[in-house]
């Protein structure tokens, strides 16, 4: 990942390009993708051709070598515009899978996979959650047992974002089934391998266009060179990479709250009730003031952590506090904004309703709010 600083001029040039791309390639079709409950696979290639994927990866792999802030800005804009499902897909691909490979991978692994992730030839996913083990990695049942020069993977994963379109999956599996979280390893699994299969896409209450699937591993044989990082150090690797993942979630949270706020501000100035614009009612004005203040505070915390991340001083505690506060703020903010629409806010005709249902998962995936509180409390009181 490049450490290049980004100027305001460069950031705005990228933003203009990104907004034009969304206007042409996403906005006319997004409602249909939501109805289809999946984005088309070709969108990844289109984003790759436009230079929007993994932009902060080095130029030697075909990326722009841009600053980290550019990736976050792309995710900010798609989230602000109400493309919540696409934002989650993008976060997994660009903020998790590509950095995992860049930070943990061998040169051969980087050479094989990063160019494909950058062009959209390959879509990335990460498979941690299992039907009986979500936040509890020690309870993971998927195994990857050594057999000569290979590992043989058996088990299943659920709620995997990008699961349907995935060409490459970072799989968490037990290489030492008796060691709890200390026996977890990470693997780069090619989705075309024999024994690897995908279930039907999972229907959700929100983020409909984000494909989510169950994955199955039936004696999937991968070479030892597919091990990502060190054997039995998977949990440590996950902890090291969590700050960026949770930065992505926070970016989505604050941006979607901003998008909902913008919709509400426009609506209350148009809507008439009791002979006047509802923007003149004190309740409306105070509710919007509260939401704006909440967004401003969360944006300040997000910016602070972005700066820490750039200097490699962002801690696991920082990430937990950021994830907890911004996603909980998002739920409150979007709820208040929808309320200002009255009955119309409960109809799918108005985009505010999508902001509402898309927001609900944010306090669940990438570590629930309850887990975030446990992480924070351990930093205060220990285990």
């Amino acid at each position: 990942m490049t450490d290049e600083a980004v100027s305001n001029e460069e950031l705005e040039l990228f933003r203009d390009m990104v907004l034009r791309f969304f206007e042409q390639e996403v906005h006319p079709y997004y409602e249909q993708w939501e109805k289809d409950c999946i984005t088309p696979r070709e969108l990844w290639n289109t984003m790759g051709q436009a230079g929007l994927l993994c932009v902060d990866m080095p130029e030697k792999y075909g990326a722009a070598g841009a600053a980290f802030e550019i990736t976050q800005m792309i995710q900010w804009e798609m989230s602000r515009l109400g493309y919540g499902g696409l934002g989650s897909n993008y976060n997994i691909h660009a903020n998790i899978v590509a950095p995992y490979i860049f930070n943990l991978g061998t040169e051969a692994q980087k050479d094989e996979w990063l160019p494909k992730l950058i062009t959209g030839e390959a879509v990335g996913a990460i498979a941690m959650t299992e039907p009986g083990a979500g936040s509890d990695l020690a309870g993971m049942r998927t195994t990857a047992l050594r057999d000569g020069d290979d590992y043989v993977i058996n088990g299943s994963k659920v709620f995997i974002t990008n699961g349907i379109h995935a060409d490459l999956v970072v799989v968490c599996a037990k290489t030492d089934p008796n060691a709890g979280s200390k026996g977890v390893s990470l693997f780069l699994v090619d989705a075309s391998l024999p024994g690897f299969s995908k279930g039907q896409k999972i229907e959700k209450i929100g983020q409909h266009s984000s494909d989510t699937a169950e994955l199955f591993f039936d004696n999937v044989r991968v070479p030892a060179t597919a091990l990502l990082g060190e054997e039995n150090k998977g949990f440590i690797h996950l902890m090291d990479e969590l700050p960026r993942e949770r930065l992505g979630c926070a970016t989505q949270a604050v941006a979607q709250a901003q998008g909902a706020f913008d919709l509400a501000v426009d609506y209350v100035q148009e809507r008439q009730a009791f002979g006047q614009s509802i923007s003149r009612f004190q309740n409306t004005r105070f509710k919007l003031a509260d939401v704006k203040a909440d967004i401003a505070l969360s944006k300040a915390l997000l910016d602070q952590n972005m700066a820490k991340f750039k200097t490699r001083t962002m801690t696991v505690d920082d990430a937990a506090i950021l994830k907890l506060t911004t996603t909980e703020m998002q739920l409150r903010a979007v709820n208040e904004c929808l309320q200002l629409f009255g009955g119309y806010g409960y109809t799918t005709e108005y985009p505010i309703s999508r902001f509402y249902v898309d927001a609900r998962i944010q306090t669940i995936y990438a570590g629930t709010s309850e887990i975030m509180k446990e992480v924070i409390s351990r930093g205060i009181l220990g285990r």
Side-chain angles (χ1 to χ4, degrees):
M1 183 180 63
T2 181
D3 286 324
E4 290 292 322
V6 60
S7 67
N8 286 335
E9 183 181 5
E10 181 186 7
L11 186 65
E12 292 312 311
L13 283 173
F14 264 98
R15 193 189 308 277
D16 288 344
M17 180 189 74
V18 167
L19 292 175
R20 286 197 303 272
F21 177 88
F22 289 150
E23 182 66 28
Q24 296 170 12
E25 303 292 345
V26 177
H27 179 71
Y29 316 110
Y30 198 77
E31 289 293 340
Q32 187 59 50
W33 298 345
E34 284 281 294
K35 292 175 183 176
D36 294 340
C37 291
I38 197 164
T39 52
R41 173 61 182 82
E42 302 76 45
L43 180 65
W44 290 100
N45 302 92
T46 306
M47 286 195 290
Q49 290 164 7
L52 301 187
L53 298 179
C54 315
V55 297
D56 62 330
M57 291 293 114
E59 293 179 24
K60 64 183 285 189
Y61 301 112
F68 165 70
E69 291 93 334
I70 301 295
T71 298
Q72 298 303 106
M73 178 275 292
I74 295 170
Q75 190 165 2
W76 173 279
E77 291 300 342
M78 64 177 62
S79 300
R80 182 183 66 83
L81 292 169
Y83 311 139
L86 183 59
S88 290
N89 290 3
Y90 188 86
N91 192 38
I92 294 292
H93 183 95
N95 266 330
I96 301 176
V97 175
Y100 267 59
I101 296 171
F102 182 71
N103 293 331
L104 301 172
T106 63
E107 285 305 316
Q109 289 171 333
K110 295 176 190 178
D111 289 340
E112 179 180 6
W113 288 111
L114 286 179
K116 295 176 182 177
L117 293 171
I118 290 163
T119 63
E121 179 183 346
V123 175
I126 185 166
M128 288 190 282
T129 304
E130 298 186 1
S135 300
D136 179 18
L137 288 180
M140 187 183 301
R141 293 186 177 182
T142 298
T143 58
L145 303 181
R146 191 68 183 253
D147 182 24
D149 292 331
D150 298 332
Y151 289 89
V152 180
I153 303 177
N154 281 285
S156 65
K157 302 289 182 177
V158 72
F159 306 135
I160 307 306
T161 302
N162 291 342
I164 295 294
H165 289 325
D167 302 288
L168 169 68
V169 184
V170 176
V171 177
C172 306
K174 287 281 189 70
T175 40
D176 184 349
N178 300 315
S181 61
K182 294 181 180 179
V184 174
S185 300
L186 306 179
F187 295 89
L188 296 176
V189 178
D190 188 324
S192 66
L193 289 173
F196 179 98
S197 60
K198 304 171 180 179
Q200 292 183 338
K201 63 179 183 286
I202 297 171
E203 304 294 342
K204 312 179 295 295
I205 65 170
Q207 295 199 3
H208 299 298
S209 55
S210 171
D211 75 89
T212 309
E214 192 168 8
L215 305 180
F216 303 95
F217 307 88
D218 182 11
N219 290 319
V220 178
R221 187 172 288 271
V222 300
T225 54
L227 178 68
L228 182 63
E230 296 183 50
E231 186 176 85
N232 297 328
K233 295 291 181 65
F235 186 76
I236 295 172
H237 295 326
L238 291 171
M239 293 302 102
D240 288 342
E241 297 298 321
L242 275 175
R244 176 155 179 165
E245 176 182 359
R246 290 176 178 160
L247 266 175
C249 290
T251 296
Q252 287 176 264
V254 183
Q256 288 182 45
Q258 183 66 55
F261 175 80
D262 293 342
L263 290 178
V265 169
D266 288 343
Y267 180 79
V268 299
Q269 294 179 83
E270 298 170 1
R271 178 71 170 170
Q272 297 285 316
F274 302 102
Q276 62 180 335
S277 165
I278 64 172
S279 65
R280 300 187 65 182
F281 298 144
Q282 187 183 68
N283 179 72
T284 300
R285 301 169 74 86
F286 282 13
K287 289 292 186 182
L288 287 174
D290 284 340
V291 171
K292 182 173 182 177
D294 274 350
I295 293 172
L297 287 170
S298 289
K299 182 62 164 59
L301 185 62
L302 174 60
D303 290 345
Q304 180 190 76
N305 279 276
M306 289 268 288
K308 284 186 174 184
F309 182 82
K310 290 267 293 184
T311 57
R312 296 177 173 83
T313 56
M314 185 181 177
T315 66
V316 171
D317 271 9
D318 289 333
I321 293 169
L322 179 68
K323 168 70 164 55
L324 172 67
T325 56
T326 56
T327 57
E328 291 289 346
M329 178 282 296
Q330 178 188 3
L331 295 193
R332 294 193 307 271
V334 173
N335 183 61
E336 294 288 9
C337 289
L338 184 143
Q339 185 72 16
L340 294 174
F341 281 75
Y344 291 107
Y346 200 64
T347 69
T348 56
E349 179 183 353
Y350 281 73
I352 189 67
S353 63
R354 188 166 71 234
F355 278 90
Y356 183 82
V357 293
D358 283 356
R360 192 59 190 87
I361 189 60
Q362 283 270 85
T363 60
I364 299 173
Y365 62 16
T368 64
S369 289
E370 292 72 25
I371 292 295
M372 295 303 96
K373 291 176 183 179
E374 179 62 24
V375 170
I376 297 164
S377 64
R378 286 180 182 180
I380 303 168
L381 301 170
R383 290 176 177 269

